[in-house]
Amino acid sequence: MHRSHWPILTSYDQDHLTRIAMPLGGIGTGTVSLGGRGQLLDWEIQNHPNKGGKGAENSGLRDFGASSLFVLYAKPADGEPVLRALEGALEPPYEGSHGSTAGFHGVPRFRDCQFHAAYPLAQVALNDSNMPLAVRLEAFNPLVPGDADRSGIPLACLRYVLMNSGDQPVEATVCGTLANFTAGKTKRNRFRDEDGLRGLVFDGRDGDELAREWGSMVLVTDATDVSWKAIWPAESWRRSLLHFWDDLAADGQLDDSGETTAEGAPYGSLAASVTVPAGGSATVTFCLAWHFPNRYNWTPGTVDCGCGTKRLNPADRIGNYYTEQYADAWNVALQEFPRLVELERQTVAFVKAICDSDLPDEIKESALYNASTLRTETCFRTPDGLFYGWEGCCDGGGCCSGSCTHVWNYETTTPFLFGDLARRMREVEFLHCTNPENGQMSFRVALPIDREKGQGAAAADGQMGCIMKAYREWKLCGDNEWLEKLWPRVRKALEFAWIPGGWDADRDGVMEGCQHNTMDVEYYGPNPQMGSWYLGALRAAEEMATAMGDGEFAATCHDLFERGSAWLDEHLFNGAYYEHEIRPPARPEDVAPSLKLHMGAKDVTKPDLQLGPGCLVDQLVGQYLAHVCGLGYLLDRQHVEKTLEAIMAHNFRDSLYDHFNNMRSYALNDEAALLMASYPRGGRPESPFPYFNEVMTGFEYCAGTHMLYEGMAEDGLTVIRAIRARYDGRRRSPFNEAECGHHYARAMAAWTGILAWTGFQYDATTGNLAFARNGCWFWSTGYAWGEIEITPTAAKLCIGGGELKVCKLAVGDWGVATWNEPLHLVAGDTHQIILQRP
């Protein structure tokens, strides 16, 4: 019997399938999700989110309520044919006012279903005692670290493995049905046979060629015995489903009427037939691909088209990178189907390296499953290759525009998997969003990009974090010319903190001014959250200035860092954690006009929505990112450790039955979580910052992975484990951690768990590679990835992809290896290393 070679990280039984929706699609292409029962849902391939959607809002879908249906026909040699939808049984609730509201609800399904995952690999196991075949659906989209193009293909691969445990062969057909929900009133469904691929092409014959929904889709297979029904006829009383079912049940083949056009959202079906030998298996592979070129900016306007109709303003069209690589959806299939074997091999190798490592399972799962956000409608690429992101997604549109710096600061998935994309984000922030005159950085970028002039509002945490990230990206890529290009704007961005009425107008290394930040308010006075970001930016700028030969500026940054660090430790640390000293300005005019967003203080001399003496979950966020960047301690190490102990002691809840929250609830009832803030010493402001009672996973990962860095292994794992227990398939989707929107970017901070647990550091400018402990570990730089096996006396370094320069390997403070000439390792290389005492 055929057994999959795919790794499995998490298995979900029949009671934990309801909320599963694993995105299938590439970076910047949109996705369709695979549900826990094997169904396709959340069709988000037309340039906007579409949670719960079935494609375009089109009356043609009303009768059957779903955009797709895959059916198995199975006929034993000595028996009658049996048909089943290739899905697990429907879950309650079953009934609305007119019966079930589920798509194709009256079609029989498999009784038993399990979902196995190791993102981006999903396996759905279907079994039914009344079926002569068991089925395993293997679904994936290529994910190749360091190669955004190979990880940005607009397709979903669906491979149905049919397994026959009986003693007679079984004639089988797998039939895929898809609704044509492309733009236009009249749709066209056509069969094509070219270069070994056979399938249906779905597009429109009329309509707005600049509409988001304008484009094409294909459903193709490489099977040789195929039949099709290009158009289901429009018939009353749901007879088109009846006649389709009867047609397939008759002989496992479809009869085509010859029709190719219809109005509405006409279904088309493609069937592939095989013989499954006794005691053996057979495989049918389908590929769903799409091509929708019309992406618009964050808030597109409309223009009058006459006759009382409007369309999106063409001036706000920004396009898609991926659609510039292919002519149409059929071209996607022609180019990529032949490469799927190699792309699958590379994807499986990457996922297997993580799954086979000695990392705790909760770290593996949180890192891999949140990487799916890169492929959702949260993220996109424009034709020039630049990479952007919403904060997250609402059900039908993006949520919180502009690659928001203070949100994206937290995530580490992009830089360590796709370094080029991370660098493109830094280029947007500094070369487009930073004013070359005064260093003010728009924390939300305007699109099209030529509209961004660096005149937007500045966020204290966002701007300082971007400086740290520029340092990180430079170290990971080792490209000094890239840093030279950015450095003048990076320096300006830091100097902006010192403007009159600014964040640190008195230049003492402490932020006291009006500090707009990720809590969507403006803090007044010194606080650890903005303070640690500022200290991290000063340290990063010192290092970059030194590399750029700007010794005087490096000395300035060093002096401010030393003074600021000492002040925060002396004045804000209360013996257990760091507090916010609320310090209102004496007069409104003492605040620089560019810093007033009017979010948190109608009267700046009496500000509300402040943190005050609270114990904040991410008060050490700058230290968190400093560890990621290898910048060392920003504050007293003992104070840092005590603060994390206080966060765990005061903010962690084993359950939320007794917890009051006046805002949004992302955790409930018996769920464990780390609260945004607590006030163990009293003194809570009458109206604290708005989210103080909430729970949000990105902040939890920030604190939890920081605990791992400080050696608080059990506490850190407890935090991460609590998050993943909430995303168990029954309560929430394991592939969708929400904050202000689905697939929230901040939750990609989960990747830091890998870095913190292994102690991984890499500096491409020097070739220095470091780990903190023995074991078998996965590693990635954004340009290369692989595995390393470390013992007390030796190491074996394996390169899975990309290229790596190594001049020195350090393991903790006890093992080191150096080379006079750098090692230049490429994919497939393995290098044995003897470790010496330092």
Side-chain angles (χ1 to χ4, degrees):
M1 298 293 286
H2 179 100
R3 297 190 64 183
S4 176
H5 63 287
W6 287 5
I8 294 174
L9 181 56
T10 319
S11 293
Y12 302 90
D13 62 25
Q14 196 125 338
D15 295 328
H16 292 81
L17 304 178
T18 305
R19 304 297 300 171
I20 292 176
M22 192 187 89
L24 294 170
I27 298 173
T29 71
T31 59
V32 58
S33 290
L34 180 69
R37 298 183 292 103
Q39 79 279 29
L40 296 179
L41 70 161
D42 294 346
W43 292 78
E44 300 176 296
I45 61 177
Q46 294 178 309
N47 302 300
H48 62 89
N50 191 31
K51 289 298 174 202
K54 309 167 181 68
E57 293 300 323
N58 196 300
S59 61
L61 297 179
R62 287 179 183 167
D63 282 347
F64 304 120
S67 289
S68 64
L69 176 69
F70 284 79
V71 175
L72 173 65
Y73 164 97
K75 183 182 184 303
D78 58 356
E80 295 297 317
V82 188
L83 276 69
R84 289 286 188 277
L86 284 160
E87 301 176 9
L90 295 174
E91 303 112 338
Y94 296 127
E95 195 166 33
S97 62
H98 291 66
S100 175
T101 58
F104 292 104
H105 45 75
V107 173
R109 291 163 166 83
F110 282 76
R111 299 184 185 188
D112 301 315
C113 179
Q114 286 188 319
F115 190 101
H116 308 289
Y119 183 81
L121 310 171
Q123 303 177 59
V124 181
L126 299 168
N127 291 277
D128 192 317
S129 59
N130 290 338
M131 289 294 290
L133 299 174
V135 180
R136 182 176 63 252
L137 166 59
E138 299 173 345
F140 85 107
N141 176 283
L143 183 60
V144 182
D147 195 332
D149 283 1
R150 288 193 168 193
S151 304
I153 302 172
L155 63 77
C157 180
L158 306 172
R159 181 165 60 220
Y160 293 92
V161 182
L162 313 179
M163 295 167 287
N164 181 3
S165 60
D167 57 5
Q168 296 290 323
V170 175
E171 297 300 320
T173 296
V174 177
C175 177
T177 297
L178 185 64
N180 185 341
F181 48 79
T182 61
K185 180 180 179 181
T186 303
K187 309 298 176 58
R188 181 171 56 178
N189 299 358
R190 297 166 292 151
F191 178 77
R192 283 186 76 169
D193 184 339
E194 181 181 355
D195 291 346
L197 292 182
R198 285 152 288 278
L200 293 177
V201 181
F202 303 85
D203 57 17
R205 295 196 63 183
D206 53 21
D208 183 358
E209 294 187 9
L210 291 178
R212 284 170 168 157
E213 296 80 14
W214 180 266
S216 58
M217 307 181 295
V218 299
L219 182 64
V220 302
T221 182
D222 61 349
T224 55
D225 185 1
V226 301
S227 58
W228 65 94
K229 185 186 293 291
I231 296 281
W232 284 22
E235 298 180 287
S236 62
W237 298 104
R238 300 171 61 90
R239 287 179 296 158
S240 56
L241 174 59
L242 171 66
H243 294 153
F244 159 78
W245 196 262
D246 288 346
D247 185 8
L248 186 62
D251 56 3
Q253 300 284 313
L254 294 175
D255 296 324
D256 186 52
S257 67
E259 296 292 330
T260 60
T261 62
E263 294 186 356
Y267 289 102
S269 299
L270 177 70
S273 300
V274 294
T275 300
V276 188
S281 63
T283 300
V284 175
T285 301
F286 286 95
C287 181
L288 171 67
W290 56 89
H291 186 275
F292 292 95
N294 296 323
R295 181 175 295 278
Y296 284 78
N297 68 0
W298 314 109
T299 54
T302 58
V303 295
D304 193 348
C305 298
C307 302
T309 62
K310 292 184 179 293
R311 68 188 302 189
L312 293 178
N313 188 345
D316 293 332
R317 182 186 181 277
I318 57 175
N320 281 311
Y321 175 84
Y322 86 88
T323 56
E324 301 290 314
Q325 317 308 311
Y326 309 98
D328 53 26
W330 183 258
N331 185 243
V332 174
L334 283 180
Q335 287 195 46
E336 304 301 345
F337 205 113
R339 297 203 300 163
L340 280 178
V341 172
E342 174 59 18
L343 292 171
E344 179 183 351
R345 184 195 67 78
Q346 294 176 337
T347 301
V348 171
F350 156 60
V351 176
K352 193 172 187 297
I354 291 182
C355 291
D356 289 351
S357 75
D358 293 334
L359 288 163
D361 284 349
E362 50 267 64
I363 290 179
K364 299 174 186 177
E365 182 183 300
S366 61
L368 267 181
Y369 292 14
N370 277 293
S372 64
T373 293
L374 286 174
R375 329 245 269 181
T376 67
E377 280 291 343
T378 294
C379 305
F380 58 91
R381 297 176 75 186
T382 46
D384 53 13
L386 295 177
F387 182 63
Y388 302 93
W390 299 86
E391 292 184 22
C393 298
C394 297
D395 288 351
C399 185
C400 301
S401 64
S403 301
C404 178
T405 57
H406 62 61
V407 168
W408 279 82
N409 272 351
Y410 290 71
E411 72 95 11
T412 54
T413 304
T414 309
F416 285 93
L417 281 184
F418 300 102
D420 284 341
L421 295 184
R423 283 202 284 167
R424 298 295 86 79
M425 294 192 89
R426 304 296 81 78
E427 290 166 13
V428 168
E429 290 155 0
F430 288 103
L431 300 183
H432 295 279
C433 294
T434 300
N435 187 314
E437 301 300 322
N438 66 4
Q440 179 177 336
M441 179 190 290
S442 305
F443 76 88
R444 297 189 190 275
V445 60
L447 290 177
I449 193 63
D450 58 8
R451 296 180 186 173
E452 179 54 66
K453 305 299 182 183
Q455 301 296 326
D461 50 357
Q463 191 150 330
M464 297 301 105
C466 286
I467 294 170
M468 297 182 73
K469 292 185 296 184
Y471 172 83
R472 179 188 64 199
E473 268 64 278
W474 166 54
K475 286 293 187 177
L476 287 174
C477 75
D479 187 342
N480 288 332
E481 291 183 0
W482 181 79
L483 181 59
E484 288 174 3
K485 181 172 65 174
L486 265 63
W487 173 244
R489 300 287 183 92
V490 173
R491 174 173 169 160
K492 279 290 185 182
L494 184 58
E495 291 174 330
F496 180 75
W498 309 329
I499 65 172
W503 298 320
D504 183 18
D506 59 0
R507 297 182 63 165
D508 63 352
V510 180
M511 280 195 173
E512 303 99 347
C514 173
Q515 304 151 60
H516 183 75
N517 64 80
T518 199
M519 302 307 177
D520 297 321
V521 298
E522 290 147 8
Y523 288 161
Y524 291 85
N527 64 87
Q529 190 183 32
M530 302 306 110
S532 63
W533 277 123
Y534 185 30
L535 293 176
L538 288 167
R539 276 289 295 117
E542 177 188 351
E543 296 293 329
M544 289 185 282
T546 300
M548 293 293 100
D550 194 346
E552 183 178 353
F553 193 73
T556 297
C557 293
H558 180 79
D559 174 64
L560 288 176
F561 168 77
E562 291 290 339
R563 289 192 286 138
S565 177
W567 194 95
L568 263 65
D569 274 322
E570 180 180 354
H571 295 278
L572 296 190
F573 188 71
N574 66 13
Y577 59 89
Y578 294 86
E579 295 186 358
H580 170 202
E581 179 187 308
I582 302 173
R583 192 186 296 177
R587 304 169 304 164
E589 51 267 32
D590 291 339
V591 178
S594 58
L595 302 184
K596 294 178 181 177
L597 274 72
H598 307 290
M599 297 180 71
K602 294 180 180 179
D603 180 355
V604 298
T605 65
K606 299 177 182 178
D608 56 1
L609 302 179
Q610 303 294 290
L611 169 63
C615 181
L616 184 67
V617 66
D618 70 326
Q619 59 187 280
L620 295 177
V621 59
Q623 182 64 74
Y624 151 87
L625 195 61
H627 282 326
V628 171
C629 296
L631 287 168
Y633 279 90
L634 308 178
L635 296 161
D636 181 276
R637 181 171 184 168
Q638 291 185 335
H639 291 179
V640 169
E641 292 173 353
K642 286 185 177 180
T643 296
L644 290 170
E645 291 170 359
I647 291 170
M648 193 67 186
H650 301 303
N651 294 31
F652 189 78
R653 300 288 186 271
D654 291 318
S655 81
L656 297 171
Y657 281 122
D658 299 323
H659 177 63
F660 169 79
N661 174 22
N662 59 304
M663 285 288 289
R664 305 164 300 185
S665 293
Y666 298 110
L668 292 163
N669 299 334
D670 62 342
E671 296 175 328
L674 199 59
L675 301 181
M676 290 292 292
S678 62
Y679 289 84
R681 300 187 175 201
R684 194 205 82 184
E686 180 181 355
S687 297
F689 75 97
Y691 309 134
F692 78 102
N693 264 336
E694 289 190 355
V695 169
M696 293 184 265
T697 68
F699 292 99
E700 291 178 282
Y701 285 126
C702 173
T705 58
H706 191 177
M707 292 173 190
L708 300 181
Y709 272 121
E710 304 301 337
M712 300 167 58
E714 189 50 43
D715 284 338
L717 291 180
T718 296
V719 171
I720 299 171
R721 197 179 301 128
I723 298 170
R724 294 309 301 172
R726 305 198 300 262
Y727 291 84
D728 64 353
R730 180 173 67 90
R731 304 168 192 243
R732 301 171 187 85
S733 173
F735 310 97
N736 180 5
E737 293 190 14
E739 188 182 311
C740 187
H742 301 288
H743 309 292
Y744 202 73
R746 196 184 333 254
M748 290 192 287
W751 193 266
T752 314
I754 295 177
L755 310 176
W757 189 266
T758 62
F760 173 78
Q761 292 286 336
Y762 180 66
D763 183 345
T765 67
T766 62
N768 290 349
L769 178 66
F771 293 86
R773 60 172 79 192
N774 293 338
C776 180
W777 309 120
F778 170 86
W779 58 266
S780 61
T781 69
Y783 306 90
W785 67 272
E787 301 167 84
I788 188 168
E789 186 176 348
I790 304 173
T791 69
T793 59
K796 182 171 72 172
L797 179 62
C798 303
I799 312 300
E803 301 180 8
L804 187 74
K805 178 184 79 172
V806 185
C807 296
K808 177 182 178 181
L809 170 65
V811 181
D813 58 2
W814 51 263
V816 67
T818 59
W819 293 267
N820 293 328
E821 294 294 328
L823 296 177
H824 290 282
L825 305 175
V826 299
D829 286 351
T830 297
H831 196 78
Q832 301 286 345
I833 302 167
I834 302 300
L835 296 175
Q836 307 290 336
R837 288 286 179 182

